Amino acid sequence: MGMLRCQLSISLDGYVAGPNQSPHDPIGEGGMRLHEWVFATHAWQEQHGKEGGERNADSQVIEDAVGNVGAYIMGRKMFGGGDGPWDESWRGWWGEEPPFHTPVYVLTHHEREPLPMLAGTTFTFVTGGIEAALEQARAAAGGQDVRIAGGASAARQYLAAGLLDQLTLDIVPIVLGAGERLLEDVGDPLLEPATVVASPAVTHITYRVGR
């Protein structure tokens, strides 16, 4: 059985999104600064069907992050579309060809039929909670890893439940001052540093998560 792993960009003061998040600005004011290093990489550009980008240590981290992934899990806010019953005209942020290329399981309280997209991505909406989503994702992954694509709430739930195997924090040298914290109400998880990769833009620390 593959690992359950998660990778998120985080500010020096512990925020993974800025203040005043909204359906139109899901990562809050200043939150996009956490991801500028990603957009500059060749791996991200290639994953999104574009050319260019830098081939550097950060790009290699992105390549490693999507390697051996057989399914993804994400929260309702990550998929977007607002709260409450679904507006089924909303099909995600990524257009008709999302960059996942595998099954994606969306945590939600509201039922919706599976949404097949191009290039191998099908969004399945799971109302049975985090363990039900993980069971379905692992079955679809066929022995490969399952990756939590975000957002912070989904990652916190799996970490607090002791289900996460690996957590990578991409520490961006900015201070947001307010917003949504990742490591809040997660108990006292045992985090063992496994690898550290540094670049001028960001420091990537991967932790094994103990039980």
Side-chain angles (χ1 to χ4, degrees), residues 76-90:
R76 169 76 186 260
K77 286 184 179 180
M78 178 73 180
F79 183 80
D83 298 325
W86 288 101
D87 172 3
E88 297 201 6
S89 66
W90 178 260

PDB file of all heavy atoms in Angstrom, residues 76-90:
ATOM      1  N   ARG A  76     -13.339  20.722  -0.173  1.00  0.00           N
ATOM      2  CA  ARG A  76     -14.349  21.444  -0.963  1.00  0.00           C
ATOM      3  C   ARG A  76     -13.830  22.810  -1.403  1.00  0.00           C
ATOM      4  O   ARG A  76     -14.031  23.228  -2.543  1.00  0.00           O
ATOM      5  CB  ARG A  76     -15.616  21.595  -0.115  1.00  0.00           C
ATOM      6  CG  ARG A  76     -16.682  22.553  -0.672  1.00  0.00           C
ATOM      7  CD  ARG A  76     -17.460  21.948  -1.808  1.00  0.00           C
ATOM      8  NE  ARG A  76     -18.383  22.885  -2.427  1.00  0.00           N
ATOM      9  CZ  ARG A  76     -19.695  22.935  -2.193  1.00  0.00           C
ATOM     10  NH1 ARG A  76     -20.237  22.119  -1.303  1.00  0.00           N
ATOM     11  NH2 ARG A  76     -20.456  23.796  -2.828  1.00  0.00           N
ATOM     12  N   LYS A  77     -13.146  23.524  -0.515  1.00  0.00           N
ATOM     13  CA  LYS A  77     -12.632  24.845  -0.887  1.00  0.00           C
ATOM     14  C   LYS A  77     -11.575  24.751  -1.973  1.00  0.00           C
ATOM     15  O   LYS A  77     -11.471  25.633  -2.831  1.00  0.00           O
ATOM     16  CB  LYS A  77     -12.066  25.562   0.343  1.00  0.00           C
ATOM     17  CG  LYS A  77     -13.122  26.079   1.302  1.00  0.00           C
ATOM     18  CD  LYS A  77     -12.472  26.858   2.431  1.00  0.00           C
ATOM     19  CE  LYS A  77     -13.513  27.417   3.385  1.00  0.00           C
ATOM     20  NZ  LYS A  77     -12.892  28.175   4.501  1.00  0.00           N
ATOM     21  N   MET A  78     -10.781  23.690  -1.934  1.00  0.00           N
ATOM     22  CA  MET A  78      -9.757  23.515  -2.956  1.00  0.00           C
ATOM     23  C   MET A  78     -10.395  23.320  -4.331  1.00  0.00           C
ATOM     24  O   MET A  78      -9.937  23.883  -5.331  1.00  0.00           O
ATOM     25  CB  MET A  78      -8.881  22.308  -2.604  1.00  0.00           C
ATOM     26  CG  MET A  78      -7.803  21.986  -3.626  1.00  0.00           C
ATOM     27  SD  MET A  78      -6.449  23.179  -3.599  1.00  0.00           S
ATOM     28  CE  MET A  78      -5.405  22.489  -4.880  1.00  0.00           C
ATOM     29  N   PHE A  79     -11.472  22.552  -4.384  1.00  0.00           N
ATOM     30  CA  PHE A  79     -12.166  22.370  -5.658  1.00  0.00           C
ATOM     31  C   PHE A  79     -12.912  23.643  -6.056  1.00  0.00           C
ATOM     32  O   PHE A  79     -13.020  23.972  -7.241  1.00  0.00           O
ATOM     33  CB  PHE A  79     -13.144  21.194  -5.574  1.00  0.00           C
ATOM     34  CG  PHE A  79     -13.845  20.913  -6.862  1.00  0.00           C
ATOM     35  CD1 PHE A  79     -13.206  20.205  -7.874  1.00  0.00           C
ATOM     36  CD2 PHE A  79     -15.138  21.358  -7.078  1.00  0.00           C
ATOM     37  CE1 PHE A  79     -13.847  19.954  -9.081  1.00  0.00           C
ATOM     38  CE2 PHE A  79     -15.791  21.105  -8.276  1.00  0.00           C
ATOM     39  CZ  PHE A  79     -15.145  20.406  -9.278  1.00  0.00           C
ATOM     40  N   GLY A  80     -13.411  24.368  -5.063  1.00  0.00           N
ATOM     41  CA  GLY A  80     -14.092  25.635  -5.327  1.00  0.00           C
ATOM     42  C   GLY A  80     -15.571  25.461  -5.596  1.00  0.00           C
ATOM     43  O   GLY A  80     -16.142  24.382  -5.485  1.00  0.00           O
ATOM     44  N   GLY A  81     -16.207  26.581  -5.925  1.00  0.00           N
ATOM     45  CA  GLY A  81     -17.628  26.552  -6.210  1.00  0.00           C
ATOM     46  C   GLY A  81     -18.510  27.032  -5.084  1.00  0.00           C
ATOM     47  O   GLY A  81     -19.736  26.997  -5.196  1.00  0.00           O
ATOM     48  N   GLY A  82     -17.907  27.488  -3.973  1.00  0.00           N
ATOM     49  CA  GLY A  82     -18.694  28.016  -2.863  1.00  0.00           C
ATOM     50  C   GLY A  82     -19.217  26.934  -1.944  1.00  0.00           C
ATOM     51  O   GLY A  82     -19.027  25.738  -2.166  1.00  0.00           O
ATOM     52  N   ASP A  83     -19.900  27.363  -0.880  1.00  0.00           N
ATOM     53  CA  ASP A  83     -20.453  26.452   0.115  1.00  0.00           C
ATOM     54  C   ASP A  83     -21.873  26.043  -0.267  1.00  0.00           C
ATOM     55  O   ASP A  83     -22.477  26.586  -1.190  1.00  0.00           O
ATOM     56  CB  ASP A  83     -20.462  27.124   1.489  1.00  0.00           C
ATOM     57  CG  ASP A  83     -19.061  27.476   1.963  1.00  0.00           C
ATOM     58  OD1 ASP A  83     -18.136  26.709   1.662  1.00  0.00           O
ATOM     59  OD2 ASP A  83     -18.907  28.511   2.639  1.00  0.00           O
ATOM     60  N   GLY A  84     -22.430  25.088   0.497  1.00  0.00           N
ATOM     61  CA  GLY A  84     -23.807  24.691   0.293  1.00  0.00           C
ATOM     62  C   GLY A  84     -23.976  23.725  -0.860  1.00  0.00           C
ATOM     63  O   GLY A  84     -23.001  23.189  -1.391  1.00  0.00           O
ATOM     64  N   PRO A  85     -25.216  23.484  -1.265  1.00  0.00           N
ATOM     65  CA  PRO A  85     -25.478  22.580  -2.395  1.00  0.00           C
ATOM     66  C   PRO A  85     -24.724  23.018  -3.635  1.00  0.00           C
ATOM     67  O   PRO A  85     -24.498  24.210  -3.867  1.00  0.00           O
ATOM     68  CB  PRO A  85     -26.997  22.691  -2.581  1.00  0.00           C
ATOM     69  CG  PRO A  85     -27.509  23.107  -1.239  1.00  0.00           C
ATOM     70  CD  PRO A  85     -26.463  23.997  -0.654  1.00  0.00           C
ATOM     71  N   TRP A  86     -24.350  22.050  -4.451  1.00  0.00           N
ATOM     72  CA  TRP A  86     -23.504  22.331  -5.601  1.00  0.00           C
ATOM     73  C   TRP A  86     -24.221  23.109  -6.698  1.00  0.00           C
ATOM     74  O   TRP A  86     -25.373  22.810  -7.027  1.00  0.00           O
ATOM     75  CB  TRP A  86     -22.988  21.021  -6.195  1.00  0.00           C
ATOM     76  CG  TRP A  86     -21.949  20.348  -5.360  1.00  0.00           C
ATOM     77  CD1 TRP A  86     -22.132  19.298  -4.521  1.00  0.00           C
ATOM     78  CD2 TRP A  86     -20.564  20.698  -5.291  1.00  0.00           C
ATOM     79  NE1 TRP A  86     -20.945  18.965  -3.922  1.00  0.00           N
ATOM     80  CE2 TRP A  86     -19.964  19.804  -4.373  1.00  0.00           C
ATOM     81  CE3 TRP A  86     -19.782  21.669  -5.904  1.00  0.00           C
ATOM     82  CZ2 TRP A  86     -18.617  19.856  -4.068  1.00  0.00           C
ATOM     83  CZ3 TRP A  86     -18.437  21.728  -5.601  1.00  0.00           C
ATOM     84  CH2 TRP A  86     -17.860  20.826  -4.692  1.00  0.00           C
ATOM     85  N   ASP A  87     -23.530  24.069  -7.248  1.00  0.00           N
ATOM     86  CA  ASP A  87     -23.875  24.635  -8.547  1.00  0.00           C
ATOM     87  C   ASP A  87     -23.121  23.788  -9.566  1.00  0.00           C
ATOM     88  O   ASP A  87     -21.907  23.922  -9.716  1.00  0.00           O
ATOM     89  CB  ASP A  87     -23.444  26.104  -8.618  1.00  0.00           C
ATOM     90  CG  ASP A  87     -23.609  26.696 -10.011  1.00  0.00           C
ATOM     91  OD1 ASP A  87     -24.104  25.986 -10.918  1.00  0.00           O
ATOM     92  OD2 ASP A  87     -23.219  27.862 -10.206  1.00  0.00           O
ATOM     93  N   GLU A  88     -23.834  22.900 -10.255  1.00  0.00           N
ATOM     94  CA  GLU A  88     -23.148  21.913 -11.080  1.00  0.00           C
ATOM     95  C   GLU A  88     -22.547  22.493 -12.346  1.00  0.00           C
ATOM     96  O   GLU A  88     -21.866  21.776 -13.100  1.00  0.00           O
ATOM     97  CB  GLU A  88     -24.085  20.749 -11.381  1.00  0.00           C
ATOM     98  CG  GLU A  88     -24.477  20.029 -10.095  1.00  0.00           C
ATOM     99  CD  GLU A  88     -24.965  18.618 -10.311  1.00  0.00           C
ATOM    100  OE1 GLU A  88     -24.896  18.126 -11.452  1.00  0.00           O
ATOM    101  OE2 GLU A  88     -25.404  18.000  -9.312  1.00  0.00           O
ATOM    102  N   SER A  89     -22.763  23.788 -12.568  1.00  0.00           N
ATOM    103  CA  SER A  89     -22.036  24.429 -13.670  1.00  0.00           C
ATOM    104  C   SER A  89     -20.579  24.676 -13.290  1.00  0.00           C
ATOM    105  O   SER A  89     -19.739  24.905 -14.164  1.00  0.00           O
ATOM    106  CB  SER A  89     -22.696  25.752 -14.060  1.00  0.00           C
ATOM    107  OG  SER A  89     -22.591  26.703 -13.006  1.00  0.00           O
ATOM    108  N   TRP A  90     -20.276  24.614 -11.982  1.00  0.00           N
ATOM    109  CA  TRP A  90     -18.893  24.783 -11.528  1.00  0.00           C
ATOM    110  C   TRP A  90     -18.138  23.477 -11.716  1.00  0.00           C
ATOM    111  O   TRP A  90     -18.515  22.443 -11.177  1.00  0.00           O
ATOM    112  CB  TRP A  90     -18.839  25.211 -10.065  1.00  0.00           C
ATOM    113  CG  TRP A  90     -17.424  25.335  -9.571  1.00  0.00           C
ATOM    114  CD1 TRP A  90     -16.725  24.437  -8.833  1.00  0.00           C
ATOM    115  CD2 TRP A  90     -16.525  26.415  -9.834  1.00  0.00           C
ATOM    116  NE1 TRP A  90     -15.448  24.879  -8.597  1.00  0.00           N
ATOM    117  CE2 TRP A  90     -15.292  26.095  -9.202  1.00  0.00           C
ATOM    118  CE3 TRP A  90     -16.639  27.609 -10.535  1.00  0.00           C
ATOM    119  CZ2 TRP A  90     -14.181  26.929  -9.260  1.00  0.00           C
ATOM    120  CZ3 TRP A  90     -15.532  28.453 -10.583  1.00  0.00           C
ATOM    121  CH2 TRP A  90     -14.328  28.110  -9.954  1.00  0.00           C
TER     122      TRP A  90
END
